Amino acid sequence: MDIEANKNEDHNKLLLSDLNHRLQEIYRGGGKKKTEKLHKKGKLSARERIDYLIDDDTEVFEIAAFAGDGMYEEHGGAPAGGVVIVMAYVSGKQCLIVANDATVKAGAWFPITGKKNLRAQEIAMENRLPIIYLVDSAGVYLPMQDEIFPDKEHFGRIFRNNAIMSSMGITQISAVMGSCVAGGAYLPIMSDEALIVDKTGTIFLAGSYLVKAAIGESIDNETLGGATTHCEVSGVTDYKAKDDRDALDKIRNIMDKIGDFDKAGFNRVKPKAPKKDPKEIYSIIPDSRDKPYDTMEVIERLVDDSEFEEYKAGYGQTILCGYARIEGWAVGIVANQRKIVKSKTGQMQIGGVIYSDSADKATRFIANCNQKKIPLVFLQDVTGFMVGSKSEHGGIIKDGAKMVNAVSNSIVPKFTVVMGNSYGAGNYAMCGKAYDPRLIVAWPWAKLAVMGGSQAAKVLLQIEKASIKTEGEEFTPEDEKALLDKITKRYDKQTSAYYAASRIWTDAVIDPLDTRKVISMGIEAANHAPIEKKFNLGVIQT
């Protein structure tokens, strides 16, 4: 390994170590004392419930672990947004599990909690996956109620989705393992089957204090809405469990009886490991987002047997397209080539930039994958579309629009991995979050923004300088440097993979070595949902 590769590996492994440290902090939830308090009540924590429920020695993918990261510090923070969501296997069935974390503000819903729950339901509906809710929540976090209550994508959308999923035949199972109050009480009862844990689970529209204040009735919470009340008097719940583990065992028994599903029919053969060592990705990816590298070297460490059948290899070379397999699944890969390449006219093209010929090639390839029913994997490291008079006169907007059209109208499942940069319209053309990838993940060093940091900082600097001069103030070179440093620091924070993940612009920040697992689980999930539409590009400029 050469010196540059060693530098890359050291740099990227430090970033990977930072990722693992951040995750360990999030896994603590509301902290050790809050977890011990749950244990004294005979309850398990959210993560303990999930660990007990899922099948041993099977793959797990946690969705939006960084939700809310750094967003609610003035409220004491909300690790993982106060809810843990995983794609996993229960009684051999792939499913989603949504578990309120009662160690975080008693499981109350922050605005990001609602967004995260809606993302889980979106994944369940797209892939027709069973969804299990482990309910233990005090309801809406009242200090921020105006940001979660009344809008279309707020709290109420959860119950609307419960009803839609039921009509779609998607299994929903809820276990009330703690508080379940006010509007939140509808979620478990709009599920197909509802369980409640004796002495710790309660369901009611209003607790005892509010009942006393509203109508003057004195009653304790257990009598008002405990397990005995709802299993033997109201008939609201279907099963009474003696404790958390008993409830989780009952869920496993229910899941065990679910019948098979109609399959989409995506092609899969026996998986093969890559011939080239995936760990070498750490030394291939440069220690700076501005440096070029050969994306083919990365692809060969992600795909089965390191085999990649390249499409139109000599044309549109700043995007690599081709067929491969990941964990046995057939995939079509669309990847930004980051090395500098020579075009068919002999001109050098900048790596990571989309040119007209690249966009044209990718459009055709995406159409081919839709024709053949092959899932698409987008590997993003893109700085945007090529600019300048030559590109504009050559119709770059027209060609870029064709690619965006193809991505938008694609009917096969799409999966996006942000390997490096994800800037401007390049994010859109390469299937950013707005284009409905089934899953979208980022590597720890990824950057997502409307433009690169150095360009953006210089633009913002010019704007602020003009504003200061308008006010007649002096502006020295030292002032300019200090202001540029301040702007750059702020912009770099906003472009980081963690900033994006905290707002659920991506589903996770992952170790590159987990990429194959995430894509494989995603395609397996997508195979639950037969494709019912036909691929149609609509009207495009030719």
Side-chain angles (χ1 to χ4, degrees):
M1 190 182 292
D2 61 25
I3 293 174
E4 195 66 27
N6 274 323
K7 279 175 60 181
N8 294 341
E9 183 174 17
D10 290 345
H11 175 80
N12 291 329
K13 283 189 173 179
L14 278 173
L15 294 178
L16 188 64
S17 176
D18 180 52
L19 166 64
N20 291 327
H21 175 73
R22 287 169 180 258
L23 285 171
Q24 290 306 314
E25 286 293 313
I26 286 168
Y27 294 159
R28 292 188 181 98
K32 186 177 179 182
K33 287 184 178 178
K34 296 276 183 68
T35 302
E36 288 172 350
K37 191 175 179 181
L38 284 184
H39 291 165
K40 286 178 182 176
K41 293 179 181 177
K43 297 164 69 174
L44 301 174
S45 70
R47 293 185 183 279
E48 288 169 340
R49 287 166 177 167
I50 290 172
D51 288 344
Y52 184 89
L53 178 61
I54 62 178
D55 296 348
D56 294 336
D57 302 320
T58 54
E59 299 284 15
V60 180
F61 171 49
E62 182 167 351
I63 295 164
F66 286 102
D69 185 43
M71 291 175 63
Y72 304 113
E73 299 312 302
E74 69 274 25
H75 297 276
V83 61
V84 184
I85 297 175
V86 300
M87 183 184 288
Y89 300 85
V90 175
S91 297
K93 308 290 192 307
Q94 191 180 28
C95 63
L96 287 163
I97 304 169
V98 178
N100 299 116
D101 187 349
T103 70
V104 179
K105 290 287 190 295
W109 289 54
F110 287 77
I112 201 69
T113 317
K115 185 174 183 178
K116 185 170 174 177
N117 275 267
L118 288 170
R119 176 61 179 146
Q121 290 184 321
E122 179 183 36
I123 292 170
M125 286 189 282
E126 284 179 329
N127 300 291
R128 304 201 177 181
L129 282 181
I131 188 165
I132 298 167
Y133 306 98
L134 306 180
V135 183
D136 194 346
S137 172
V140 166
Y141 183 59
L142 289 177
M144 303 188 75
Q145 64 83 27
D146 62 319
E147 297 182 45
I148 188 172
F149 171 63
D151 208 351
K152 180 180 178 181
E153 299 297 332
H154 283 177
F155 192 69
R157 189 80 170 181
I158 305 289
F159 316 130
R160 175 264 189 193
N161 287 350
N162 288 142
I164 297 296
M165 284 191 283
S166 183
S167 73
M168 293 172 68
I170 297 169
T171 297
Q172 299 174 83
I173 303 168
S174 288
V176 179
M177 312 179 86
S179 297
C180 183
V181 301
Y186 289 106
L187 183 147
I189 311 312
M190 294 188 75
S191 300
D192 300 331
E193 302 194 68
L195 304 84
I196 187 168
V197 178
D198 195 22
K199 300 299 186 290
T200 57
T202 53
I203 311 173
F204 34 63
L205 295 180
S208 57
Y209 293 136
L210 185 52
V211 167
K212 177 68 174 176
I215 64 172
E217 180 184 1
S218 295
I219 189 170
D220 64 272
N221 283 340
E222 183 64 27
T223 306
L224 180 65
T228 298
T229 294
H230 286 311
C231 287
E232 300 175 19
V233 180
S234 72
V236 165
T237 51
D238 306 311
Y239 307 92
K240 183 198 286 189
K242 63 183 180 182
D243 56 25
D244 279 10
R245 290 180 177 84
D246 185 38
L248 299 169
D249 287 338
K250 289 180 187 298
I251 292 172
R252 291 184 60 80
N253 288 335
I254 294 168
M255 289 290 292
D256 181 57
K257 310 302 185 297
I258 295 175
D260 204 356
F261 52 88
D262 294 334
K263 295 179 177 64
F266 302 123
N267 183 288
R268 193 180 197 187
V269 299
K270 186 177 179 180
K272 293 181 180 178
K275 276 184 181 176
K276 297 187 177 181
D277 188 357
K279 291 179 182 177
E280 291 171 355
I281 290 173
Y282 301 136
S283 59
I284 294 168
I285 301 292
D287 60 0
S288 168
R289 297 279 52 78
D290 299 326
K291 293 180 181 178
Y293 63 93
D294 187 352
T295 303
M296 186 67 79
E297 292 291 320
V298 176
I299 292 173
E300 289 173 342
R301 286 157 179 83
L302 290 177
V303 301
D304 289 14
D305 214 29
S306 299
E307 289 185 352
F308 180 69
E309 188 67 38
E310 189 173 359
Y311 174 80
K312 289 185 182 288
Y315 178 71
Q317 295 179 73
T318 64
I319 287 184
L320 296 171
C321 297
Y323 302 107
R325 290 189 182 274
I326 293 178
E327 292 292 340
W329 294 104
V331 296
I333 293 175
V334 180
N336 301 112
Q337 173 57 285
R338 279 304 311 271
K339 73 177 184 180
I340 297 170
V341 297
K342 186 179 287 187
S343 73
K344 58 188 176 183
T345 61
Q347 293 179 317
M348 302 309 291
Q349 293 185 337
I350 302 167
V353 176
I354 302 175
Y355 291 78
S356 282
D357 54 355
S358 304
D360 177 64
K361 176 173 81 172
T363 301
R364 179 62 184 265
F365 180 72
I366 291 166
N368 278 345
C369 287
N370 276 272
Q371 182 86 346
K372 297 178 177 70
K373 203 158 77 172
I374 300 173
L376 284 158
V377 176
F378 292 83
L379 302 178
Q380 286 194 5
D381 196 343
V382 58
T383 53
F385 285 85
M386 191 58 191
V387 297
S389 61
K390 185 173 182 180
S391 291
E392 297 292 0
H393 296 169
I396 186 69
I397 296 175
K398 170 170 57 73
D399 292 319
K402 285 193 289 187
M403 185 176 174
V404 168
N405 197 313
V407 173
S408 302
N409 285 300
S410 180
I411 58 171
V412 295
K414 299 168 291 192
F415 302 89
T416 301
V417 180
V418 186
M419 305 187 303
N421 299 320
S422 181
Y423 293 153
N427 170 282
Y428 301 158
M430 291 295 293
C431 197
K433 183 69 181 289
Y435 292 80
D436 296 326
R438 297 293 177 98
L439 295 172
I440 176 170
V441 296
W443 291 354
W445 41 80
K447 299 283 186 184
L448 291 85
V450 72
M451 66 175 71
S454 60
Q455 302 98 311
K458 288 172 184 175
V459 171
L460 291 167
L461 176 67
Q462 294 306 315
I463 293 170
E464 296 214 21
K465 278 174 64 177
S467 175
I468 290 168
K469 286 181 179 179
T470 300
E471 294 170 4
E473 296 181 24
E474 293 278 335
F475 200 77
T476 66
E478 291 77 16
D479 293 333
E480 181 171 331
K481 183 181 183 305
L483 184 55
L484 181 60
D485 289 345
K486 179 182 175 183
I487 291 169
T488 302
K489 185 176 180 181
R490 183 180 70 215
Y491 197 84
D492 284 347
K493 178 184 177 183
Q494 292 176 351
T495 63
S496 80
Y498 299 105
Y499 191 90
S502 71
R503 288 150 180 81
I504 320 184
W505 301 342
T506 61
D507 291 314
V509 182
I510 66 167
D511 183 335
L513 301 188
D514 287 331
T515 304
R516 284 168 54 82
K517 176 191 83 171
V518 171
I519 292 172
S520 177
M521 289 184 74
I523 299 175
E524 182 182 350
N527 206 34
H528 286 75
I531 296 171
E532 295 168 350
K533 295 195 297 184
K534 289 186 177 179
F535 179 63
N536 186 346
L537 273 181
V539 177
I540 57 172
Q541 293 280 359
T542 57

